[in-house]
Amino acid sequence: MYYYYYKRKNPDDILVYIEEYDKQTGYVLFDFIDSNEFYLFADLININPDFSKPTMMLLEKYNKRTIRENTIYSIKPEVIQSWREQLSIAPESLDSFLIGYSINASEIEGEIFSTAVSLNDFFDFELNYYMHGWGDISKIPLPAFDRVTVTIRNVGQGSWNEISCNDEVKIVYDAGAPMHASMSEVRGIIGNRNVLYSNKPILILSHWDKDHYHSLLGMSDTELQDNFSAFICRDRIPNITSRILFGRLRNAVGASNTYTINADMRSARGGPTFLRNITPINGQFVLYNSQYHKDRNISGLLLTVKSANNSIVLPGDAHYEQISRDILPHLNYEHKHYLVVPHHGGKAGAYIYSRPSSMVFKDAIISVGTNSYGHPNNLYVNALRTDFSRVRQTRLERSDIIVTL
């Protein structure tokens, strides 16, 4: 049922967004879709809502029915009231910039999530699902220069990439950290970025997944203001955590330097999800936009960086087939090609990565840490090894990996 109609019929039900569901470990991480839902939740468990603290909830030892990530579900008020009565909700002091509450789901009787709720674009204004800056995307301020290095940062099970010229960081593409990273671990990952970013690079967020923005939550408002000059992101923002972060970033860089990009519409429901360059194809930096898809991984923003002798694709969590079909033909000249492997070497569709005749595949680089997801997947690693000269992993090298273009 669509959100608009569901809330008219069930105004007291609480709607949450499933950020992650790991059946193997029994973890479910969810957030509230807006402040109204969080107010309902806070009232039911008798707490004062505090949006300066994390709002995501971690369910541990979840053994109920299978649920879907990137999906809105309803929870009945009586279910949440039982959490308060069982006193199994943890206090906010979970030492996390991301997770504000946890609960042992195995102690909860019956199902937790009742109905999956869909969104209808016509009624999305009721939810205020879209966020906006005032930047003109035709004037996205991607820099132009010659000698470039790309650093794939060793942040564990997350994504953080820096593009530099003459040792000055000009573009930051994602700034993530692992889901379970403590506050001190996140601050350690951030390190001395306030010094390295003194020239205020542009921040590009590939998509609104926590492992791509977690470290931004650990930066103060002053740090965000001092660290970045502009912010580029998808306009469709799924939950309270990402909305609050968006507001902080927009305030930090200014609305006119905030570029919110809406996904292109697909011509056929269920068909392929295509990419389209939204900055000039002959630029040294080319930003690609994806078509809308419920799966945020294949509906993000991608970046290519190229020089006369080298190129690299920073794909977020896009699928190989998207890159192969819609980006590689634009890179068909004599040079060495590098790939930051999508989704930490995890699920990224069928391995289709067809090499144009003029290219030489050099390194495939995986940003990955200790995890329970089986990343990187051996099938992908073996396939990459057949095509690329080397497959490198931040986890194995225990350091940042730097590519000189």
mmCIF file of all heavy atoms in Angstrom, residues 314-339:
data_model
loop_
_atom_site.group_PDB
_atom_site.id
_atom_site.type_symbol
_atom_site.label_atom_id
_atom_site.label_comp_id
_atom_site.label_asym_id
_atom_site.label_seq_id
_atom_site.Cartn_x
_atom_site.Cartn_y
_atom_site.Cartn_z
ATOM 1 N N LEU A 314 35.243 5.768 -10.261
ATOM 2 C CA LEU A 314 34.770 5.685 -8.886
ATOM 3 C C LEU A 314 33.264 5.477 -8.962
ATOM 4 O O LEU A 314 32.510 6.418 -9.245
ATOM 5 C CB LEU A 314 35.123 6.953 -8.110
ATOM 6 C CG LEU A 314 36.627 7.182 -7.893
ATOM 7 C CD1 LEU A 314 37.196 8.071 -9.008
ATOM 8 C CD2 LEU A 314 36.908 7.808 -6.546
ATOM 9 N N PRO A 315 32.794 4.236 -8.701
ATOM 10 C CA PRO A 315 31.414 3.887 -9.040
ATOM 11 C C PRO A 315 30.441 3.841 -7.865
ATOM 12 O O PRO A 315 29.282 3.497 -8.072
ATOM 13 C CB PRO A 315 31.576 2.490 -9.626
ATOM 14 C CG PRO A 315 32.680 1.899 -8.793
ATOM 15 C CD PRO A 315 33.596 3.049 -8.416
ATOM 16 N N GLY A 316 30.902 4.141 -6.633
ATOM 17 C CA GLY A 316 30.014 3.894 -5.502
ATOM 18 C C GLY A 316 29.711 2.413 -5.418
ATOM 19 O O GLY A 316 30.627 1.579 -5.416
ATOM 20 N N ASP A 317 28.434 2.064 -5.417
ATOM 21 C CA ASP A 317 28.031 0.653 -5.372
ATOM 22 C C ASP A 317 27.287 0.241 -6.634
ATOM 23 O O ASP A 317 26.460 -0.671 -6.619
ATOM 24 C CB ASP A 317 27.143 0.387 -4.148
ATOM 25 C CG ASP A 317 27.906 0.444 -2.845
ATOM 26 O OD1 ASP A 317 29.149 0.354 -2.872
ATOM 27 O OD2 ASP A 317 27.268 0.591 -1.784
ATOM 28 N N ALA A 318 27.561 0.927 -7.755
ATOM 29 C CA ALA A 318 26.884 0.617 -9.015
ATOM 30 C C ALA A 318 27.243 -0.789 -9.495
ATOM 31 O O ALA A 318 28.160 -1.437 -8.968
ATOM 32 C CB ALA A 318 27.269 1.652 -10.077
ATOM 33 N N HIS A 319 26.532 -1.259 -10.490
ATOM 34 C CA HIS A 319 26.790 -2.578 -11.041
ATOM 35 C C HIS A 319 27.814 -2.503 -12.172
ATOM 36 O O HIS A 319 27.914 -1.501 -12.883
ATOM 37 C CB HIS A 319 25.493 -3.201 -11.563
ATOM 38 C CG HIS A 319 24.624 -3.748 -10.480
ATOM 39 N ND1 HIS A 319 23.463 -4.457 -10.722
ATOM 40 C CD2 HIS A 319 24.753 -3.694 -9.125
ATOM 41 C CE1 HIS A 319 22.905 -4.816 -9.570
ATOM 42 N NE2 HIS A 319 23.672 -4.369 -8.594
ATOM 43 N N TYR A 320 28.564 -3.602 -12.341
ATOM 44 C CA TYR A 320 29.585 -3.664 -13.384
ATOM 45 C C TYR A 320 28.980 -3.385 -14.759
ATOM 46 O O TYR A 320 29.577 -2.682 -15.579
ATOM 47 C CB TYR A 320 30.237 -5.050 -13.395
ATOM 48 C CG TYR A 320 31.048 -5.372 -12.176
ATOM 49 C CD1 TYR A 320 30.511 -6.122 -11.132
ATOM 50 C CD2 TYR A 320 32.369 -4.933 -12.050
ATOM 51 C CE1 TYR A 320 31.260 -6.423 -9.997
ATOM 52 C CE2 TYR A 320 33.124 -5.229 -10.923
ATOM 53 C CZ TYR A 320 32.555 -5.973 -9.900
ATOM 54 O OH TYR A 320 33.295 -6.267 -8.779
ATOM 55 N N GLU A 321 27.814 -3.963 -15.016
ATOM 56 C CA GLU A 321 27.209 -3.820 -16.336
ATOM 57 C C GLU A 321 26.919 -2.359 -16.661
ATOM 58 O O GLU A 321 27.075 -1.925 -17.805
ATOM 59 C CB GLU A 321 25.924 -4.642 -16.420
ATOM 60 C CG GLU A 321 25.297 -4.620 -17.804
ATOM 61 C CD GLU A 321 24.085 -5.518 -17.911
ATOM 62 O OE1 GLU A 321 23.598 -5.989 -16.851
ATOM 63 O OE2 GLU A 321 23.615 -5.757 -19.038
ATOM 64 N N GLN A 322 26.484 -1.573 -15.654
ATOM 65 C CA GLN A 322 26.238 -0.150 -15.886
ATOM 66 C C GLN A 322 27.513 0.564 -16.341
ATOM 67 O O GLN A 322 27.494 1.344 -17.289
ATOM 68 C CB GLN A 322 25.721 0.512 -14.598
ATOM 69 C CG GLN A 322 24.340 0.074 -14.141
ATOM 70 C CD GLN A 322 23.965 0.745 -12.826
ATOM 71 O OE1 GLN A 322 24.511 0.408 -11.783
ATOM 72 N NE2 GLN A 322 23.058 1.697 -12.894
ATOM 73 N N ILE A 323 28.609 0.287 -15.630
ATOM 74 C CA ILE A 323 29.879 0.937 -15.957
ATOM 75 C C ILE A 323 30.349 0.507 -17.336
ATOM 76 O O ILE A 323 30.770 1.324 -18.164
ATOM 77 C CB ILE A 323 30.944 0.595 -14.898
ATOM 78 C CG1 ILE A 323 30.446 0.929 -13.492
ATOM 79 C CG2 ILE A 323 32.245 1.334 -15.193
ATOM 80 C CD1 ILE A 323 31.287 0.319 -12.386
ATOM 81 N N SER A 324 30.283 -0.796 -17.593
ATOM 82 C CA SER A 324 30.770 -1.345 -18.853
ATOM 83 C C SER A 324 29.986 -0.787 -20.037
ATOM 84 O O SER A 324 30.565 -0.416 -21.073
ATOM 85 C CB SER A 324 30.666 -2.867 -18.817
ATOM 86 O OG SER A 324 31.102 -3.445 -20.025
ATOM 87 N N ARG A 325 28.679 -0.717 -19.881
ATOM 88 C CA ARG A 325 27.817 -0.296 -20.993
ATOM 89 C C ARG A 325 27.838 1.210 -21.221
ATOM 90 O O ARG A 325 27.862 1.683 -22.367
ATOM 91 C CB ARG A 325 26.382 -0.759 -20.695
ATOM 92 C CG ARG A 325 25.353 -0.413 -21.776
ATOM 93 C CD ARG A 325 23.950 -0.673 -21.256
ATOM 94 N NE ARG A 325 23.680 0.146 -20.079
ATOM 95 C CZ ARG A 325 23.099 -0.319 -18.963
ATOM 96 N NH1 ARG A 325 22.727 -1.586 -18.867
ATOM 97 N NH2 ARG A 325 22.895 0.497 -17.945
ATOM 98 N N ASP A 326 27.846 1.999 -20.125
ATOM 99 C CA ASP A 326 27.571 3.433 -20.246
ATOM 100 C C ASP A 326 28.779 4.335 -19.999
ATOM 101 O O ASP A 326 28.710 5.532 -20.288
ATOM 102 C CB ASP A 326 26.454 3.830 -19.270
ATOM 103 C CG ASP A 326 25.155 3.090 -19.538
ATOM 104 O OD1 ASP A 326 24.930 2.729 -20.706
ATOM 105 O OD2 ASP A 326 24.377 2.859 -18.592
ATOM 106 N N ILE A 327 29.878 3.791 -19.453
ATOM 107 C CA ILE A 327 31.045 4.624 -19.174
ATOM 108 C C ILE A 327 32.263 4.213 -19.990
ATOM 109 O O ILE A 327 32.932 5.055 -20.593
ATOM 110 C CB ILE A 327 31.383 4.598 -17.665
ATOM 111 C CG1 ILE A 327 30.271 5.287 -16.861
ATOM 112 C CG2 ILE A 327 32.723 5.271 -17.399
ATOM 113 C CD1 ILE A 327 30.526 5.338 -15.366
ATOM 114 N N LEU A 328 32.571 2.923 -20.032
ATOM 115 C CA LEU A 328 33.799 2.492 -20.700
ATOM 116 C C LEU A 328 33.879 2.926 -22.162
ATOM 117 O O LEU A 328 34.982 3.262 -22.632
ATOM 118 C CB LEU A 328 33.970 0.972 -20.580
ATOM 119 C CG LEU A 328 34.256 0.420 -19.171
ATOM 120 C CD1 LEU A 328 34.647 -1.045 -19.240
ATOM 121 C CD2 LEU A 328 35.329 1.236 -18.462
ATOM 122 N N PRO A 329 32.782 2.955 -22.926
ATOM 123 C CA PRO A 329 32.902 3.444 -24.302
ATOM 124 C C PRO A 329 33.411 4.880 -24.385
ATOM 125 O O PRO A 329 34.021 5.264 -25.395
ATOM 126 C CB PRO A 329 31.470 3.322 -24.847
ATOM 127 C CG PRO A 329 30.875 2.202 -24.055
ATOM 128 C CD PRO A 329 31.448 2.371 -22.677
ATOM 129 N N HIS A 330 33.188 5.675 -23.331
ATOM 130 C CA HIS A 330 33.686 7.053 -23.310
ATOM 131 C C HIS A 330 35.189 7.114 -23.015
ATOM 132 O O HIS A 330 35.792 8.184 -23.119
ATOM 133 C CB HIS A 330 32.949 7.875 -22.252
ATOM 134 C CG HIS A 330 31.489 8.024 -22.527
ATOM 135 N ND1 HIS A 330 30.577 8.421 -21.574
ATOM 136 C CD2 HIS A 330 30.764 7.829 -23.664
ATOM 137 C CE1 HIS A 330 29.365 8.464 -22.101
ATOM 138 N NE2 HIS A 330 29.456 8.099 -23.364
ATOM 139 N N LEU A 331 35.771 5.984 -22.624
ATOM 140 C CA LEU A 331 37.188 5.942 -22.260
ATOM 141 C C LEU A 331 38.006 5.132 -23.264
ATOM 142 O O LEU A 331 39.073 4.620 -22.944
ATOM 143 C CB LEU A 331 37.341 5.334 -20.857
ATOM 144 C CG LEU A 331 36.639 6.074 -19.715
ATOM 145 C CD1 LEU A 331 36.748 5.288 -18.410
ATOM 146 C CD2 LEU A 331 37.211 7.473 -19.545
ATOM 147 N N ASN A 332 37.507 5.037 -24.471
ATOM 148 C CA ASN A 332 38.145 4.200 -25.481
ATOM 149 C C ASN A 332 39.265 4.957 -26.189
ATOM 150 O O ASN A 332 39.133 5.414 -27.324
ATOM 151 C CB ASN A 332 37.112 3.705 -26.487
ATOM 152 C CG ASN A 332 37.686 2.660 -27.433
ATOM 153 O OD1 ASN A 332 38.746 2.098 -27.165
ATOM 154 N ND2 ASN A 332 36.999 2.424 -28.532
ATOM 155 N N TYR A 333 40.392 5.117 -25.480
ATOM 156 C CA TYR A 333 41.606 5.669 -26.072
ATOM 157 C C TYR A 333 42.788 4.926 -25.465
ATOM 158 O O TYR A 333 42.625 4.198 -24.472
ATOM 159 C CB TYR A 333 41.706 7.182 -25.847
ATOM 160 C CG TYR A 333 41.804 7.617 -24.386
ATOM 161 C CD1 TYR A 333 43.037 7.927 -23.822
ATOM 162 C CD2 TYR A 333 40.672 7.720 -23.589
ATOM 163 C CE1 TYR A 333 43.141 8.333 -22.496
ATOM 164 C CE2 TYR A 333 40.758 8.124 -22.261
ATOM 165 C CZ TYR A 333 41.990 8.426 -21.714
ATOM 166 O OH TYR A 333 42.089 8.823 -20.404
ATOM 167 N N GLU A 334 43.961 5.055 -26.013
ATOM 168 C CA GLU A 334 45.107 4.275 -25.555
ATOM 169 C C GLU A 334 45.574 4.774 -24.193
ATOM 170 O O GLU A 334 46.159 5.858 -24.074
ATOM 171 C CB GLU A 334 46.242 4.358 -26.582
ATOM 172 C CG GLU A 334 45.927 3.655 -27.891
ATOM 173 C CD GLU A 334 47.111 3.635 -28.838
ATOM 174 O OE1 GLU A 334 48.205 4.075 -28.418
ATOM 175 O OE2 GLU A 334 46.953 3.187 -29.984
ATOM 176 N N HIS A 335 45.335 3.969 -23.182
ATOM 177 C CA HIS A 335 45.742 4.355 -21.834
ATOM 178 C C HIS A 335 45.557 3.157 -20.902
ATOM 179 O O HIS A 335 45.008 2.117 -21.287
ATOM 180 C CB HIS A 335 44.900 5.530 -21.335
ATOM 181 C CG HIS A 335 43.489 5.175 -20.984
ATOM 182 N ND1 HIS A 335 42.526 4.892 -21.936
ATOM 183 C CD2 HIS A 335 42.863 5.039 -19.786
ATOM 184 C CE1 HIS A 335 41.383 4.608 -21.348
ATOM 185 N NE2 HIS A 335 41.549 4.680 -20.039
ATOM 186 N N LYS A 336 46.003 3.327 -19.648
ATOM 187 C CA LYS A 336 45.818 2.321 -18.599
ATOM 188 C C LYS A 336 44.599 2.692 -17.757
ATOM 189 O O LYS A 336 44.430 3.857 -17.388
ATOM 190 C CB LYS A 336 47.067 2.223 -17.728
ATOM 191 C CG LYS A 336 48.293 1.733 -18.472
ATOM 192 C CD LYS A 336 49.528 1.740 -17.586
ATOM 193 C CE LYS A 336 50.759 1.281 -18.365
ATOM 194 N NZ LYS A 336 51.992 1.339 -17.528
ATOM 195 N N HIS A 337 43.811 1.683 -17.445
ATOM 196 C CA HIS A 337 42.535 1.913 -16.766
ATOM 197 C C HIS A 337 42.541 1.282 -15.378
ATOM 198 O O HIS A 337 42.993 0.146 -15.191
ATOM 199 C CB HIS A 337 41.389 1.310 -17.586
ATOM 200 C CG HIS A 337 40.063 1.367 -16.912
ATOM 201 N ND1 HIS A 337 39.404 2.549 -16.651
ATOM 202 C CD2 HIS A 337 39.264 0.387 -16.416
ATOM 203 C CE1 HIS A 337 38.258 2.296 -16.035
ATOM 204 N NE2 HIS A 337 38.148 0.985 -15.880
ATOM 205 N N TYR A 338 42.030 2.042 -14.395
ATOM 206 C CA TYR A 338 41.903 1.583 -13.011
ATOM 207 C C TYR A 338 40.423 1.602 -12.626
ATOM 208 O O TYR A 338 39.661 2.454 -13.094
ATOM 209 C CB TYR A 338 42.679 2.492 -12.060
ATOM 210 C CG TYR A 338 44.169 2.534 -12.309
ATOM 211 C CD1 TYR A 338 44.708 3.323 -13.329
ATOM 212 C CD2 TYR A 338 45.051 1.782 -11.529
ATOM 213 C CE1 TYR A 338 46.072 3.369 -13.564
ATOM 214 C CE2 TYR A 338 46.419 1.827 -11.754
ATOM 215 C CZ TYR A 338 46.923 2.618 -12.770
ATOM 216 O OH TYR A 338 48.278 2.657 -12.995
ATOM 217 N N LEU A 339 40.058 0.687 -11.756
ATOM 218 C CA LEU A 339 38.678 0.614 -11.272
ATOM 219 C C LEU A 339 38.681 0.513 -9.759
ATOM 220 O O LEU A 339 39.358 -0.349 -9.182
ATOM 221 C CB LEU A 339 37.968 -0.622 -11.846
ATOM 222 C CG LEU A 339 36.594 -0.958 -11.241
ATOM 223 C CD1 LEU A 339 35.560 0.103 -11.615
ATOM 224 C CD2 LEU A 339 36.133 -2.350 -11.685
#
